[in-house]
Amino acid sequence: MARVRAAVPRLLDRIRTASRLLARRRRRSHRARAAVVPAARPHPWTRALGLVAVVLLGAWLGLLIVGDVRVPVGPMNTTMTLRPSLTGGTKINVSPLGALQLDSHVAPVRLDVNVDQLDPDRAQALVDHPERLSGLQDEVAQDVARGTRELALRSSVAVVTGATTLGLLVHRRPRRALTAGGLALALLLASGSTAYATWKPDSVLEPRFSGLLSSAPSLVGDARSIVTEFDVYQKELARLVTNVTKLYDVTSTLPAYQPDPTTIRVLHVSDIHLNPASWKIIASLVTQYRVNVIVDSGDTMDHGTAAENGFLDPVEELGAPYVWVRGNHDSMETQRHLRGMRNVHVLDDGRARTVAGLRFAGIGDPQFTPDRDQRPGAEASQELAGARLASALRDQRAAGTPVDIAIAHEPSAAREVDGEVPLVLAGHVHHEEMKVLKYGTRLRIEGSTGGSGLRAVEGRYPDPIQASILYFDRDSRRLQAWDEIKLGGLGLTTAEVSRHLPKENQPGATPSPSSPSPSPVAPAR
């Protein structure tokens, strides 16, 4: 018993010692933990927002890079694309004319359709097989449906790939990247389902036009009548495609002219008025007649907006220098754009320039009236512009650099240079004319090389497409002869070339002693 009593104090001492040691270790541990700052973990909402940003940005980049499909729709080549949007809808871009917007659906994606170009082979097939025109509507519908399916599949791949790739770059964790790709696909499917549920086929009854297409309702009629009488408009559209294709083809029947090497050949065009068929015809004439220089006396555009500038791209590929003056449908924006093109010589304020061995001077139209209105003082402004041009011509002659050809858009301005230059070129009135003015200057007015553009179908009969080839002696730089070229307008396939000889080449001069041999006249087809 004594042993037990003696052992108890020792046991208690050991317990107290162990307790002190344990307490000391705990205090050290607490101090060590307190010395270490715990790592801050992001808030769950922050992580969620970051993931959403990765999903949206990656999906958008995927659509932007690989999310479009090129689909033939009837005789046209188109590109279809899905784009993020707050309002949804469908946008049809017809460059350079503008865009057509439809409130077709409500979803965070918009369908963009770009009309790229008319395919000449498919268009020619419609001409060769007119029986196919009756089924053109069904063919277009099938093409659109096929394109939509291809677009849905490609867009799914694009958004998943874009979101997954961006998620892997940002988070560096495959699991997070796969989550981002899955969320992007779910977002696209949800958007597609919403678009399908809110689809409004009647949205075509209330389209919104922008750019040059803003004038479309006044040109083609009320949109509701187009829908309710679609069979009529379908036939008219098919006829238009057929006629334009024929118009492209007719220039190949023009006679080939073998010019004398001492002759300078000038192609005079005017009033193209945004007709794309004109570029094909001009290029054909440049090649067949070996044209040295093209002169455009204005109204190349129709409204003069920046949206039209893309229409001018073929000018650089025509194969000859292009001398141009501004018409009343051409804006200063148009003039600045043309001035920046490599083969174009813009003439204004009476400035002169030598091109292809001939010296030209011109002045732009002082009026800008794309709406075709008559403004007070218009005639007086034209006469004033012509007087400024005449003054510049006198200055050039006094400096020993006389001008061979003057250019103005309106004939009323061109008449003011009578007696100051052998030849003045003009347009504006959409019909050709050649006359010698009172003091000996020859005035050449060109018809519309665009067949009056959009106004070609206003009358009962389509306006013809007109241009002329002017032949100049290389030594004297005087007019020797000219060919008037007239092509049947839309729906007509006639081509007529007639040769004319001037009675005199400069003010007070005798008739020209020599002229090129006549070219044959192309038969009507």
Side-chain angles (χ1 to χ4, degrees):
M1 192 67 179
R3 287 181 184 174
V4 173
R5 285 197 296 268
V8 168
R10 289 195 299 269
L11 180 60
L12 292 175
D13 289 339
R14 290 178 180 176
I15 291 175
R16 284 193 291 269
T17 301
S19 298
R20 286 194 296 269
L21 291 174
L22 182 60
R24 191 179 297 121
R25 289 178 180 175
R26 286 177 179 172
R27 286 193 296 269
R28 291 175 180 173
S29 177
H30 284 312
R31 286 194 297 268
R33 285 199 297 269
V36 179
V37 178
R41 300 185 64 184
H43 193 278
W45 283 108
T46 303
R47 297 174 62 189
L49 290 176
L51 183 60
V52 169
V54 168
V55 169
L56 294 178
L57 182 59
W60 178 76
L61 290 175
L63 288 175
L64 190 64
I65 297 173
V66 295
D68 58 355
V69 294
R70 288 170 174 78
V71 182
V73 177
M76 297 174 293
N77 293 325
T78 68
T79 301
M80 295 183 178
T81 313
L82 289 180
R83 290 284 181 258
S85 172
L86 296 176
T87 58
T90 299
K91 184 177 182 181
I92 303 172
N93 298 300
V94 187
S95 179
L97 300 180
L100 171 68
Q101 292 181 307
L102 306 175
D103 292 328
S104 57
H105 61 276
V106 179
V109 290
R110 184 187 73 209
L111 174 62
D112 282 3
V113 181
N114 294 317
V115 179
D116 299 327
Q117 63 180 2
L118 180 72
D119 185 276
D121 295 332
R122 295 199 300 274
Q124 185 63 46
L126 290 175
V127 176
D128 297 337
H129 303 281
E131 67 276 4
R132 292 180 54 185
L133 297 177
S134 59
L136 183 60
Q137 178 182 354
D138 295 335
E139 180 182 343
V140 168
Q142 294 172 2
D143 291 340
V144 172
R146 183 178 67 254
T148 304
R149 290 193 296 269
E150 293 180 10
L151 179 61
L153 178 60
R154 179 177 282 265
S155 298
S156 300
V157 174
V159 299
V160 171
T161 303
T164 303
T165 302
L166 187 60
L168 190 61
L169 293 174
V170 172
H171 297 292
R172 301 183 182 277
R173 295 180 182 179
R175 189 173 179 178
R176 283 288 187 88
L178 292 176
T179 301
L183 288 175
L185 180 60
L187 179 62
L188 180 64
L189 293 176
S191 301
S193 300
T194 305
Y196 181 79
T198 60
W199 184 257
K200 295 182 292 185
D202 292 341
S203 61
V204 71
L205 296 175
E206 299 178 353
R208 296 193 307 274
F209 300 95
S210 61
L212 297 180
L213 291 181
S214 58
S215 60
S218 63
L219 292 172
V220 300
D222 180 76
R224 187 175 298 275
S225 67
I226 293 178
V227 176
T228 57
E229 303 176 14
F230 187 81
D231 57 336
V232 176
Y233 283 90
Q234 171 194 335
K235 294 176 182 178
E236 291 301 308
L237 176 62
R239 184 178 65 86
L240 180 63
V241 171
T242 303
N243 293 338
V244 171
T245 305
K246 289 180 178 179
L247 195 58
Y248 280 2
D249 182 62
V250 72
T251 56
S252 62
T253 67
L254 290 174
Y257 174 69
Q258 299 297 328
D260 188 288
T262 64
T263 302
I264 301 175
R265 296 161 300 283
V266 176
L267 171 60
H268 184 199
V269 302
S270 190
D271 296 88
I272 292 174
H273 284 293
L274 213 69
N275 186 349
S278 301
W279 300 130
K280 177 74 173 180
I281 293 168
I282 292 172
S284 176
L285 293 174
V286 168
T287 300
Q288 295 186 55
Y289 282 80
R290 300 183 187 178
V291 167
N292 299 108
V293 57
I294 305 167
V295 173
D296 185 343
S297 50
D299 274 4
T300 312
M301 302 302 212
D302 213 50
H303 292 77
T305 63
E308 293 176 326
N309 287 343
F311 171 75
L312 299 169
D313 290 346
V315 170
E316 293 186 312
E317 309 300 328
L318 293 177
Y322 201 88
V323 177
W324 182 86
V325 297
R326 188 179 67 253
N328 62 295
H329 283 256
D330 305 316
S331 65
M332 293 303 296
E333 168 65 28
T334 301
Q335 180 162 308
R336 285 189 294 269
H337 186 78
L338 277 165
R339 199 185 298 277
M341 303 180 78
R342 55 181 173 83
N343 66 321
V344 177
H345 304 273
V346 175
L347 301 181
D348 199 3
D349 298 321
R351 288 189 293 270
R353 184 168 298 183
T354 300
V355 183
L358 295 172
R359 191 156 181 82
F360 298 88
I363 193 165
D365 197 301
Q367 297 282 316
F368 178 52
T369 55
D371 50 1
R372 293 180 285 171
D373 61 351
Q374 294 293 328
R375 299 181 181 178
E379 187 68 20
S381 68
Q382 294 296 336
E383 293 175 356
L384 180 60
R388 289 172 55 197
L389 179 57
S391 177
L393 295 174
R394 286 191 292 270
D395 292 342
Q396 289 288 329
R397 186 170 62 247
T401 55
V403 170
D404 303 309
I405 303 173
I407 313 168
H409 177 64
E410 292 208 23
S412 54
R415 293 187 184 97
E416 296 298 314
V417 304
D418 185 17
E420 306 295 343
V421 68
L423 176 66
V424 60
L425 304 179
H428 184 65
V429 295
H430 293 201
H431 63 79
E432 63 83 22
E433 182 181 349
M434 180 80 90
K435 63 185 298 185
V436 178
L437 301 177
K438 180 179 179 180
Y439 297 107
T441 293
R442 184 177 297 276
L443 170 63
R444 170 66 187 175
I445 303 174
E446 190 55 76
S448 174
T449 311
S452 300
L454 296 175
R455 285 170 289 284
V457 294
E458 285 183 349
R460 182 176 181 182
Y461 298 103
D463 291 344
I465 289 178
Q466 295 178 295
S468 57
I469 305 289
L470 311 177
Y471 302 98
F472 294 82
D473 181 81
R474 191 173 295 273
D475 296 327
S476 66
R477 301 189 302 279
R478 294 296 183 258
L479 182 67
Q480 301 298 305
W482 72 93
D483 289 343
E484 293 177 0
I485 300 170
K486 182 183 295 186
L487 305 178
L490 294 176
L492 305 178
T493 56
T494 58
E496 178 182 336
V497 181
S498 56
R499 168 60 53 81
H500 301 270
L501 305 177
K503 295 180 179 179
E504 49 198 316
N505 295 328
Q506 59 183 349
T510 57
S512 173
S514 61
S515 61
S517 59
S519 62
V521 175
R525 298 195 308 174

